[in-house]
Structure formats: C-alpha cells, structure tokens
Amino acid sequence: MEPFVYNALPARVVFGPGTLSQVGHEIRSLGCSKALVLTGPSQSKKGEALRADLGDVSVGLYSNATMHTPTNVTDEAVELAQTLGADCVVALGGGSAVGLAKAIALRTDLPQIVIPTTYSGSEATAIIGQTENGLKTTQKTLKVLPEVIIYDVDLTLSLPAEMTITSGINAMAHAIEALYSTDSNPITDMLAEQGIARLASALPILSKDPQNTEARSDALFGAWACGSCLGVVSMALHHKLCHALGGTFNLPHSETHTVILPHAIAYNTPFAATAMAKAARSLGTASAAQGVFDLAKNLGAPYSLKQLGMKEEDLERALDVVMKSPYPNPAPLEREKLLGLLRDAYEGKRPI
C-alpha cells in the first residue's frame, strides 16, 4: 500500500424514500427554528409546499436561485434572510439551490440543510463556485459544507430524462477527476469506482423508465458517492474548463460537464493510465473517454458545445480564461492541445 492522506468531511446524510418528511426534525436538531427555504423558479411550488409542511419553523421562501450562483442573487437572498431573522437555510432543488445555500453560509455562517433533486453532487463538497461580471471562481472552505443532506429518492422520480442523464454524467465527472487528482487516495478511489458503476448501470434504465425507483435509488447513491470524492480531493482540467465555459458564456451546467468530460479524459489518459483504467472498468467499457461519450450520445444527451449554443469564435477566449489560473492536472496544459480539445468538444467528435 502506497502512503496517502485522507481528510474526511463532517456530514450528516439522511437517505431513502420519503425522507423529506424529516426536514422539520433536522431543523430542530440543529437548534434552529426560523428556516428560510431556497429554491429555483421551477421548484417554487415545491418550496411553498415544504414551507407549509414546516409550519412555524419556516419564516419565508426565496425562489430565485440561479445557475452558476451569481453574486447579485446572493445579495438579495442574504438581505431577505437577515430581514426575516432566519437562523438556517433549507435548499430544495439542484445545484443552483445548493450553490445559493452555500453562498449564504459563506457570508453569514447560517447552518444549511440541503435536499438535492438532481445528481449534481455539490451538496457533498466544501466547494463553492460563484459568478461575478462574467467570471466564475471557486474556493474550498468548510464554511460552505452543509450540515445535513437529505436525499429523498421520491423527489428524483419527476426529473426529466435528459436532465437525469446530464446530471448523472456531471456526477461521474466528480469521481473520474478524483481518480487522477493530485491527492487521490484508496478511500476516494473505492467510492469513485462504486459511484461511477452505480450511475453507469442506472442511467440507461432511467432513460427508458424514469419511474424505476431502484434505479433512481442507485443513481442518487452514486451521485452522493461521486460528490463525496470531489469533496476531499482537488479539481483538475475538466472542472476548470467547465467553470470557464459556464461562468463566461452562461452555458448550462450539467450539459457542459457532459460534453467536456470525455475529451478531458482523453487529454489526461496518457498521463493517468491506471486511474482511467479504473474508470473504464467501472463504466464497463474498454475506454473511459469513449465510454462516457457513447453513454451520453446513445442516451440522447448533448455531446457537442455547438449544441449548447457555444460560438466557435469564442473557443480562444474560453481558453484564455482557463490558462490564466489553471488547476493542477496530470497532463501538462499546452495551449494548442487544449484548443484541439475544445474544438473536438465543439464539433462533438468521438474521442480517440
């Protein structure tokens, strides 16, 4: 066994069907009694229903959580939390709602209970990404780690098929980068392989049968496992590319991860062969890069930046953002090769 360092993150996870009913108990267990519920616009009705269920332990609802966590949206939400005297936040939704809860916690230290309805995995990390003036930046701090994560399998049954696929592949990205991270370790490797395998087996089932509760449960567990990996290791090229594309050009989050991931894997494979062999084995394919690409394309997910509305003339500008503050990465970050990666992703070419 090679030497390694592993820093476990403190977290309480409540997993299963119907666990939304336990939110009130979890609020009180934190010593709180004035929760501000957070959702995005599409989840506002569910947020109102949760508020009603919580009764007097909820003081309000903020329903404008926005993709890539713009700082001006956080400004509004923090002001509302302070006006209402909230002593905790409860986020219900995908990565946007979770990101807003984290941004509020970063500024106010309010405890967080998060209830993911997608497979983003952000809830399991102490990482926050925020966008200001078209630039998305990230930081890692325990201040943004949620105190409680409630995974309710029932809440994922209504997740549309395409979002199920792209959200699931986004989750896989966390685990695949963890396998070749500069601080990878045997514990996260095991979690990563299990998370990838659960998602790889569940997503094809869910593309045909979105109401399959067993596959939903497997996918949600896989998302937690993958997110937990990212929570304790460093991000690399894949996430840097996605943050640059999403924050600067406002591309959709999970779809961008879905498009970029196979190309980032292909770029790194010659310098991380062992790690990518583990990913391929978990996917049940000979090639991790081609396995992810084929999974996305065969299940009807977008597989090119062109499909997401990216303009070819903006690829150079995206690369400028990436090169200004690169993340540690197994393969050297060479501008021309990275431009080739982005061009392949733009065209939707199957990785070699």
Side-chain angles (χ1 to χ4, degrees):
M1 176 64 72
E2 296 290 327
F4 68 91
V5 174
Y6 173 69
N7 291 306
L9 294 177
R12 174 174 169 79
V13 175
V14 181
F15 186 102
T19 50
L20 186 65
S21 64
Q22 300 183 38
V23 178
H25 169 74
E26 295 299 330
I27 291 172
R28 295 182 183 91
S29 294
L30 291 173
C32 299
S33 59
K34 297 179 178 180
L36 175 63
V37 176
L38 309 171
T39 73
S42 65
Q43 298 275 15
S44 60
K45 289 184 179 179
K46 290 183 178 179
E48 289 286 4
L50 177 58
R51 262 206 76 196
D53 289 343
L54 292 176
D56 59 5
V57 297
S58 171
V59 293
L61 168 69
Y62 182 82
S63 59
N64 193 36
T66 304
M67 186 173 62
H68 304 305
T69 319
T71 55
N72 63 301
V73 172
T74 304
D75 293 340
E76 290 179 357
V78 167
E79 183 178 357
L80 179 61
Q82 293 173 338
T83 299
L84 296 174
D87 58 8
C88 69
V89 293
V90 177
L92 172 67
S96 297
V98 174
L100 179 58
K102 288 181 169 186
I104 294 171
L106 182 65
R107 298 193 193 182
T108 65
D109 277 333
L110 288 179
Q112 307 168 70
I113 297 172
V114 297
I115 310 156
T117 58
T118 69
Y119 305 131
S120 77
S122 170
E123 67 280 353
T125 77
I127 301 166
I128 181 171
Q130 302 182 92
T131 303
E132 186 171 15
N133 298 323
L135 181 64
K136 187 169 185 177
T137 58
T138 63
Q139 62 177 296
K140 181 181 284 190
T141 168
L142 286 175
K143 287 182 71 174
V144 305
L145 183 71
E147 278 73 13
V148 181
I149 309 169
I150 295 179
Y151 289 109
D152 189 334
V153 177
D154 295 342
L155 293 177
T156 65
L157 293 175
S158 59
L159 191 63
E162 183 174 314
M163 179 56 71
T164 294
I165 306 310
T166 59
S167 182
I169 294 176
N170 175 25
M172 283 187 187
H174 305 328
I176 289 172
E177 281 224 318
L179 288 170
Y180 61 67
S181 169
T182 54
D183 40 13
S184 63
N185 60 78
I187 295 97
T188 55
D189 281 5
M190 286 189 293
L191 265 178
E193 291 185 67
Q194 186 170 172
I196 295 165
R198 291 288 184 105
L199 283 161
S201 63
L203 294 182
I205 296 172
L206 294 173
S207 70
K208 297 177 181 177
D209 181 13
Q211 299 293 309
N212 188 305
T213 54
E214 185 175 351
R216 284 290 182 191
S217 183
D218 281 350
L220 196 57
F221 176 82
W224 170 79
C226 293
S228 296
C229 295
L230 185 65
V232 296
V233 299
S234 303
M235 291 184 287
L237 174 63
H238 169 79
H239 278 85
K240 186 63 184 181
L241 288 168
C242 292
H243 292 160
L245 292 165
T248 305
F249 303 100
N250 201 38
L251 297 187
H253 182 80
S254 65
E255 291 88 342
T256 302
H257 280 267
T258 298
V259 170
I260 291 294
L261 182 58
H263 302 283
I265 293 171
Y267 187 94
N268 279 319
T269 294
F271 296 84
T274 300
M276 293 304 92
K278 292 179 180 178
R281 182 171 64 243
S282 299
L283 288 162
T285 61
S287 160
Q290 293 177 348
V292 171
F293 182 89
D294 293 344
L295 181 68
K297 187 174 182 180
N298 292 341
L299 297 183
Y303 55 92
S304 75
L305 292 176
K306 187 188 298 185
Q307 290 172 287
L308 304 185
M310 185 75 180
K311 296 178 180 178
E312 188 172 10
E313 58 265 29
D314 286 333
L315 296 180
E316 292 264 12
R317 186 154 69 97
L319 192 52
D320 290 339
V321 175
V322 172
M323 298 301 289
K324 280 180 182 177
S325 54
Y327 292 172
N329 191 67
L333 301 182
E334 300 177 28
R335 186 177 182 88
E336 285 307 309
K337 289 184 178 180
L338 287 171
L339 187 57
L341 182 163
L342 286 175
R343 284 177 175 151
D344 286 348
Y346 175 80
E347 295 291 345
K349 293 181 179 179
R350 188 171 188 258
I352 299 174

PDB file of all heavy atoms in Angstrom, residues 270-300:
ATOM      1  N   PRO A 270      -3.118   9.506 -21.256  1.00  0.00           N
ATOM      2  CA  PRO A 270      -1.715   9.085 -21.364  1.00  0.00           C
ATOM      3  C   PRO A 270      -0.894   9.350 -20.106  1.00  0.00           C
ATOM      4  O   PRO A 270       0.142   8.717 -19.893  1.00  0.00           O
ATOM      5  CB  PRO A 270      -1.190   9.931 -22.538  1.00  0.00           C
ATOM      6  CG  PRO A 270      -2.398  10.278 -23.332  1.00  0.00           C
ATOM      7  CD  PRO A 270      -3.483  10.457 -22.326  1.00  0.00           C
ATOM      8  N   PHE A 271      -1.345  10.267 -19.256  1.00  0.00           N
ATOM      9  CA  PHE A 271      -0.612  10.622 -18.049  1.00  0.00           C
ATOM     10  C   PHE A 271      -1.281  10.091 -16.784  1.00  0.00           C
ATOM     11  O   PHE A 271      -0.806  10.336 -15.682  1.00  0.00           O
ATOM     12  CB  PHE A 271      -0.477  12.149 -17.954  1.00  0.00           C
ATOM     13  CG  PHE A 271       0.325  12.751 -19.067  1.00  0.00           C
ATOM     14  CD1 PHE A 271      -0.269  13.050 -20.289  1.00  0.00           C
ATOM     15  CD2 PHE A 271       1.688  12.991 -18.904  1.00  0.00           C
ATOM     16  CE1 PHE A 271       0.481  13.590 -21.325  1.00  0.00           C
ATOM     17  CE2 PHE A 271       2.431  13.536 -19.932  1.00  0.00           C
ATOM     18  CZ  PHE A 271       1.832  13.837 -21.148  1.00  0.00           C
ATOM     19  N   ALA A 272      -2.400   9.389 -16.935  1.00  0.00           N
ATOM     20  CA  ALA A 272      -3.124   8.839 -15.791  1.00  0.00           C
ATOM     21  C   ALA A 272      -3.760   7.517 -16.202  1.00  0.00           C
ATOM     22  O   ALA A 272      -4.953   7.293 -16.006  1.00  0.00           O
ATOM     23  CB  ALA A 272      -4.181   9.835 -15.314  1.00  0.00           C
ATOM     24  N   ALA A 273      -2.956   6.634 -16.772  1.00  0.00           N
ATOM     25  CA  ALA A 273      -3.475   5.402 -17.364  1.00  0.00           C
ATOM     26  C   ALA A 273      -4.138   4.499 -16.326  1.00  0.00           C
ATOM     27  O   ALA A 273      -5.195   3.910 -16.577  1.00  0.00           O
ATOM     28  CB  ALA A 273      -2.347   4.660 -18.080  1.00  0.00           C
ATOM     29  N   THR A 274      -3.528   4.369 -15.155  1.00  0.00           N
ATOM     30  CA  THR A 274      -4.086   3.492 -14.121  1.00  0.00           C
ATOM     31  C   THR A 274      -5.442   4.001 -13.649  1.00  0.00           C
ATOM     32  O   THR A 274      -6.404   3.230 -13.507  1.00  0.00           O
ATOM     33  CB  THR A 274      -3.123   3.382 -12.931  1.00  0.00           C
ATOM     34  OG1 THR A 274      -1.874   2.835 -13.380  1.00  0.00           O
ATOM     35  CG2 THR A 274      -3.700   2.481 -11.844  1.00  0.00           C
ATOM     36  N   ALA A 275      -5.518   5.308 -13.413  1.00  0.00           N
ATOM     37  CA  ALA A 275      -6.774   5.896 -12.959  1.00  0.00           C
ATOM     38  C   ALA A 275      -7.870   5.720 -13.999  1.00  0.00           C
ATOM     39  O   ALA A 275      -9.015   5.366 -13.680  1.00  0.00           O
ATOM     40  CB  ALA A 275      -6.574   7.380 -12.653  1.00  0.00           C
ATOM     41  N   MET A 276      -7.528   5.940 -15.273  1.00  0.00           N
ATOM     42  CA  MET A 276      -8.541   5.833 -16.314  1.00  0.00           C
ATOM     43  C   MET A 276      -8.936   4.383 -16.590  1.00  0.00           C
ATOM     44  O   MET A 276     -10.044   4.103 -17.044  1.00  0.00           O
ATOM     45  CB  MET A 276      -8.059   6.517 -17.581  1.00  0.00           C
ATOM     46  CG  MET A 276      -7.934   8.038 -17.445  1.00  0.00           C
ATOM     47  SD  MET A 276      -9.470   8.864 -16.901  1.00  0.00           S
ATOM     48  CE  MET A 276      -9.270   8.896 -15.114  1.00  0.00           C
ATOM     49  N   ALA A 277      -8.036   3.460 -16.292  1.00  0.00           N
ATOM     50  CA  ALA A 277      -8.400   2.044 -16.395  1.00  0.00           C
ATOM     51  C   ALA A 277      -9.453   1.693 -15.344  1.00  0.00           C
ATOM     52  O   ALA A 277     -10.386   0.919 -15.614  1.00  0.00           O
ATOM     53  CB  ALA A 277      -7.171   1.170 -16.230  1.00  0.00           C
ATOM     54  N   LYS A 278      -9.331   2.281 -14.144  1.00  0.00           N
ATOM     55  CA  LYS A 278     -10.345   2.068 -13.101  1.00  0.00           C
ATOM     56  C   LYS A 278     -11.688   2.644 -13.548  1.00  0.00           C
ATOM     57  O   LYS A 278     -12.739   2.025 -13.338  1.00  0.00           O
ATOM     58  CB  LYS A 278      -9.899   2.734 -11.795  1.00  0.00           C
ATOM     59  CG  LYS A 278      -8.697   2.087 -11.128  1.00  0.00           C
ATOM     60  CD  LYS A 278      -8.317   2.837  -9.856  1.00  0.00           C
ATOM     61  CE  LYS A 278      -7.109   2.207  -9.184  1.00  0.00           C
ATOM     62  NZ  LYS A 278      -6.692   2.955  -7.966  1.00  0.00           N
ATOM     63  N   ALA A 279     -11.653   3.830 -14.150  1.00  0.00           N
ATOM     64  CA  ALA A 279     -12.896   4.449 -14.616  1.00  0.00           C
ATOM     65  C   ALA A 279     -13.540   3.592 -15.703  1.00  0.00           C
ATOM     66  O   ALA A 279     -14.762   3.376 -15.698  1.00  0.00           O
ATOM     67  CB  ALA A 279     -12.615   5.857 -15.130  1.00  0.00           C
ATOM     68  N   ALA A 280     -12.721   3.105 -16.646  1.00  0.00           N
ATOM     69  CA  ALA A 280     -13.250   2.271 -17.729  1.00  0.00           C
ATOM     70  C   ALA A 280     -13.877   1.000 -17.177  1.00  0.00           C
ATOM     71  O   ALA A 280     -14.957   0.574 -17.620  1.00  0.00           O
ATOM     72  CB  ALA A 280     -12.137   1.942 -18.717  1.00  0.00           C
ATOM     73  N   ARG A 281     -13.205   0.385 -16.206  1.00  0.00           N
ATOM     74  CA  ARG A 281     -13.741  -0.834 -15.599  1.00  0.00           C
ATOM     75  C   ARG A 281     -15.086  -0.556 -14.935  1.00  0.00           C
ATOM     76  O   ARG A 281     -16.027  -1.349 -15.044  1.00  0.00           O
ATOM     77  CB  ARG A 281     -12.738  -1.381 -14.583  1.00  0.00           C
ATOM     78  CG  ARG A 281     -13.177  -2.689 -13.933  1.00  0.00           C
ATOM     79  CD  ARG A 281     -12.070  -3.314 -13.110  1.00  0.00           C
ATOM     80  NE  ARG A 281     -11.701  -2.476 -11.972  1.00  0.00           N
ATOM     81  CZ  ARG A 281     -10.497  -1.935 -11.807  1.00  0.00           C
ATOM     82  NH1 ARG A 281      -9.551  -2.111 -12.717  1.00  0.00           N
ATOM     83  NH2 ARG A 281     -10.231  -1.201 -10.739  1.00  0.00           N
ATOM     84  N   SER A 282     -15.203   0.580 -14.250  1.00  0.00           N
ATOM     85  CA  SER A 282     -16.465   0.928 -13.590  1.00  0.00           C
ATOM     86  C   SER A 282     -17.570   1.198 -14.602  1.00  0.00           C
ATOM     87  O   SER A 282     -18.743   0.914 -14.348  1.00  0.00           O
ATOM     88  CB  SER A 282     -16.265   2.156 -12.698  1.00  0.00           C
ATOM     89  OG  SER A 282     -15.306   1.897 -11.689  1.00  0.00           O
ATOM     90  N   LEU A 283     -17.192   1.757 -15.750  1.00  0.00           N
ATOM     91  CA  LEU A 283     -18.161   2.027 -16.812  1.00  0.00           C
ATOM     92  C   LEU A 283     -18.537   0.771 -17.584  1.00  0.00           C
ATOM     93  O   LEU A 283     -19.543   0.739 -18.297  1.00  0.00           O
ATOM     94  CB  LEU A 283     -17.583   3.057 -17.792  1.00  0.00           C
ATOM     95  CG  LEU A 283     -17.486   4.495 -17.301  1.00  0.00           C
ATOM     96  CD1 LEU A 283     -16.505   5.279 -18.172  1.00  0.00           C
ATOM     97  CD2 LEU A 283     -18.853   5.160 -17.303  1.00  0.00           C
ATOM     98  N   GLY A 284     -17.693  -0.267 -17.477  1.00  0.00           N
ATOM     99  CA  GLY A 284     -17.912  -1.494 -18.238  1.00  0.00           C
ATOM    100  C   GLY A 284     -17.510  -1.352 -19.687  1.00  0.00           C
ATOM    101  O   GLY A 284     -18.100  -1.984 -20.577  1.00  0.00           O
ATOM    102  N   THR A 285     -16.483  -0.516 -19.949  1.00  0.00           N
ATOM    103  CA  THR A 285     -16.019  -0.275 -21.316  1.00  0.00           C
ATOM    104  C   THR A 285     -14.499  -0.414 -21.372  1.00  0.00           C
ATOM    105  O   THR A 285     -13.819  -0.410 -20.349  1.00  0.00           O
ATOM    106  CB  THR A 285     -16.402   1.135 -21.795  1.00  0.00           C
ATOM    107  OG1 THR A 285     -15.776   2.112 -20.934  1.00  0.00           O
ATOM    108  CG2 THR A 285     -17.904   1.338 -21.752  1.00  0.00           C
ATOM    109  N   ALA A 286     -13.961  -0.505 -22.589  1.00  0.00           N
ATOM    110  CA  ALA A 286     -12.516  -0.604 -22.758  1.00  0.00           C
ATOM    111  C   ALA A 286     -11.839   0.758 -22.621  1.00  0.00           C
ATOM    112  O   ALA A 286     -10.682   0.843 -22.220  1.00  0.00           O
ATOM    113  CB  ALA A 286     -12.195  -1.203 -24.137  1.00  0.00           C
ATOM    114  N   SER A 287     -12.555   1.823 -22.954  1.00  0.00           N
ATOM    115  CA  SER A 287     -12.013   3.178 -22.912  1.00  0.00           C
ATOM    116  C   SER A 287     -12.931   4.068 -22.095  1.00  0.00           C
ATOM    117  O   SER A 287     -14.133   4.149 -22.384  1.00  0.00           O
ATOM    118  CB  SER A 287     -11.876   3.753 -24.329  1.00  0.00           C
ATOM    119  OG  SER A 287     -11.792   5.165 -24.319  1.00  0.00           O
ATOM    120  N   ALA A 288     -12.372   4.747 -21.094  1.00  0.00           N
ATOM    121  CA  ALA A 288     -13.194   5.637 -20.270  1.00  0.00           C
ATOM    122  C   ALA A 288     -13.723   6.802 -21.095  1.00  0.00           C
ATOM    123  O   ALA A 288     -14.902   7.167 -20.998  1.00  0.00           O
ATOM    124  CB  ALA A 288     -12.380   6.157 -19.084  1.00  0.00           C
ATOM    125  N   ALA A 289     -12.869   7.399 -21.939  1.00  0.00           N
ATOM    126  CA  ALA A 289     -13.286   8.550 -22.732  1.00  0.00           C
ATOM    127  C   ALA A 289     -14.410   8.174 -23.698  1.00  0.00           C
ATOM    128  O   ALA A 289     -15.445   8.851 -23.778  1.00  0.00           O
ATOM    129  CB  ALA A 289     -12.093   9.115 -23.503  1.00  0.00           C
ATOM    130  N   GLN A 290     -14.217   7.090 -24.435  1.00  0.00           N
ATOM    131  CA  GLN A 290     -15.234   6.671 -25.387  1.00  0.00           C
ATOM    132  C   GLN A 290     -16.477   6.148 -24.673  1.00  0.00           C
ATOM    133  O   GLN A 290     -17.598   6.310 -25.157  1.00  0.00           O
ATOM    134  CB  GLN A 290     -14.660   5.617 -26.326  1.00  0.00           C
ATOM    135  CG  GLN A 290     -13.582   6.181 -27.250  1.00  0.00           C
ATOM    136  CD  GLN A 290     -12.952   5.119 -28.134  1.00  0.00           C
ATOM    137  OE1 GLN A 290     -13.153   3.927 -27.930  1.00  0.00           O
ATOM    138  NE2 GLN A 290     -12.176   5.561 -29.113  1.00  0.00           N
ATOM    139  N   GLY A 291     -16.283   5.533 -23.522  1.00  0.00           N
ATOM    140  CA  GLY A 291     -17.420   5.025 -22.762  1.00  0.00           C
ATOM    141  C   GLY A 291     -18.359   6.135 -22.322  1.00  0.00           C
ATOM    142  O   GLY A 291     -19.587   6.017 -22.445  1.00  0.00           O
ATOM    143  N   VAL A 292     -17.803   7.241 -21.813  1.00  0.00           N
ATOM    144  CA  VAL A 292     -18.633   8.370 -21.392  1.00  0.00           C
ATOM    145  C   VAL A 292     -19.295   9.017 -22.601  1.00  0.00           C
ATOM    146  O   VAL A 292     -20.493   9.352 -22.577  1.00  0.00           O
ATOM    147  CB  VAL A 292     -17.796   9.403 -20.611  1.00  0.00           C
ATOM    148  CG1 VAL A 292     -18.606  10.667 -20.368  1.00  0.00           C
ATOM    149  CG2 VAL A 292     -17.327   8.824 -19.281  1.00  0.00           C
ATOM    150  N   PHE A 293     -18.522   9.210 -23.682  1.00  0.00           N
ATOM    151  CA  PHE A 293     -19.076   9.822 -24.898  1.00  0.00           C
ATOM    152  C   PHE A 293     -20.239   8.991 -25.441  1.00  0.00           C
ATOM    153  O   PHE A 293     -21.312   9.528 -25.750  1.00  0.00           O
ATOM    154  CB  PHE A 293     -17.984   9.945 -25.957  1.00  0.00           C
ATOM    155  CG  PHE A 293     -18.444  10.616 -27.226  1.00  0.00           C
ATOM    156  CD1 PHE A 293     -18.369  11.997 -27.366  1.00  0.00           C
ATOM    157  CD2 PHE A 293     -18.944   9.869 -28.287  1.00  0.00           C
ATOM    158  CE1 PHE A 293     -18.796  12.615 -28.532  1.00  0.00           C
ATOM    159  CE2 PHE A 293     -19.375  10.476 -29.456  1.00  0.00           C
ATOM    160  CZ  PHE A 293     -19.299  11.860 -29.579  1.00  0.00           C
ATOM    161  N   ASP A 294     -20.042   7.700 -25.548  1.00  0.00           N
ATOM    162  CA  ASP A 294     -21.089   6.827 -26.094  1.00  0.00           C
ATOM    163  C   ASP A 294     -22.310   6.793 -25.185  1.00  0.00           C
ATOM    164  O   ASP A 294     -23.459   6.748 -25.672  1.00  0.00           O
ATOM    165  CB  ASP A 294     -20.540   5.412 -26.297  1.00  0.00           C
ATOM    166  CG  ASP A 294     -19.484   5.348 -27.393  1.00  0.00           C
ATOM    167  OD1 ASP A 294     -19.386   6.297 -28.189  1.00  0.00           O
ATOM    168  OD2 ASP A 294     -18.733   4.343 -27.425  1.00  0.00           O
ATOM    169  N   LEU A 295     -22.082   6.796 -23.871  1.00  0.00           N
ATOM    170  CA  LEU A 295     -23.198   6.788 -22.930  1.00  0.00           C
ATOM    171  C   LEU A 295     -24.075   8.015 -23.153  1.00  0.00           C
ATOM    172  O   LEU A 295     -25.304   7.907 -23.263  1.00  0.00           O
ATOM    173  CB  LEU A 295     -22.673   6.764 -21.491  1.00  0.00           C
ATOM    174  CG  LEU A 295     -23.727   6.726 -20.384  1.00  0.00           C
ATOM    175  CD1 LEU A 295     -24.474   5.401 -20.383  1.00  0.00           C
ATOM    176  CD2 LEU A 295     -23.072   6.966 -19.013  1.00  0.00           C
ATOM    177  N   ALA A 296     -23.442   9.190 -23.230  1.00  0.00           N
ATOM    178  CA  ALA A 296     -24.203  10.420 -23.427  1.00  0.00           C
ATOM    179  C   ALA A 296     -24.940  10.414 -24.759  1.00  0.00           C
ATOM    180  O   ALA A 296     -26.151  10.664 -24.821  1.00  0.00           O
ATOM    181  CB  ALA A 296     -23.264  11.628 -23.340  1.00  0.00           C
ATOM    182  N   LYS A 297     -24.227  10.103 -25.829  1.00  0.00           N
ATOM    183  CA  LYS A 297     -24.826  10.173 -27.168  1.00  0.00           C
ATOM    184  C   LYS A 297     -25.932   9.137 -27.334  1.00  0.00           C
ATOM    185  O   LYS A 297     -27.010   9.445 -27.865  1.00  0.00           O
ATOM    186  CB  LYS A 297     -23.750   9.975 -28.227  1.00  0.00           C
ATOM    187  CG  LYS A 297     -24.261  10.197 -29.646  1.00  0.00           C
ATOM    188  CD  LYS A 297     -23.130  10.145 -30.671  1.00  0.00           C
ATOM    189  CE  LYS A 297     -23.650  10.416 -32.077  1.00  0.00           C
ATOM    190  NZ  LYS A 297     -22.564  10.380 -33.089  1.00  0.00           N
ATOM    191  N   ASN A 298     -25.681   7.921 -26.861  1.00  0.00           N
ATOM    192  CA  ASN A 298     -26.672   6.857 -27.027  1.00  0.00           C
ATOM    193  C   ASN A 298     -27.947   7.109 -26.226  1.00  0.00           C
ATOM    194  O   ASN A 298     -29.028   6.604 -26.588  1.00  0.00           O
ATOM    195  CB  ASN A 298     -26.077   5.509 -26.625  1.00  0.00           C
ATOM    196  CG  ASN A 298     -24.986   5.051 -27.587  1.00  0.00           C
ATOM    197  OD1 ASN A 298     -24.899   5.534 -28.714  1.00  0.00           O
ATOM    198  ND2 ASN A 298     -24.144   4.136 -27.143  1.00  0.00           N
ATOM    199  N   LEU A 299     -27.823   7.868 -25.135  1.00  0.00           N
ATOM    200  CA  LEU A 299     -28.994   8.142 -24.303  1.00  0.00           C
ATOM    201  C   LEU A 299     -29.662   9.467 -24.654  1.00  0.00           C
ATOM    202  O   LEU A 299     -30.578   9.919 -23.957  1.00  0.00           O
ATOM    203  CB  LEU A 299     -28.602   8.117 -22.817  1.00  0.00           C
ATOM    204  CG  LEU A 299     -28.095   6.772 -22.291  1.00  0.00           C
ATOM    205  CD1 LEU A 299     -27.804   6.850 -20.801  1.00  0.00           C
ATOM    206  CD2 LEU A 299     -29.080   5.649 -22.585  1.00  0.00           C
ATOM    207  N   GLY A 300     -29.193  10.098 -25.736  1.00  0.00           N
ATOM    208  CA  GLY A 300     -29.867  11.295 -26.225  1.00  0.00           C
ATOM    209  C   GLY A 300     -29.446  12.593 -25.587  1.00  0.00           C
ATOM    210  O   GLY A 300     -30.118  13.625 -25.753  1.00  0.00           O
TER     211      GLY A 300
END
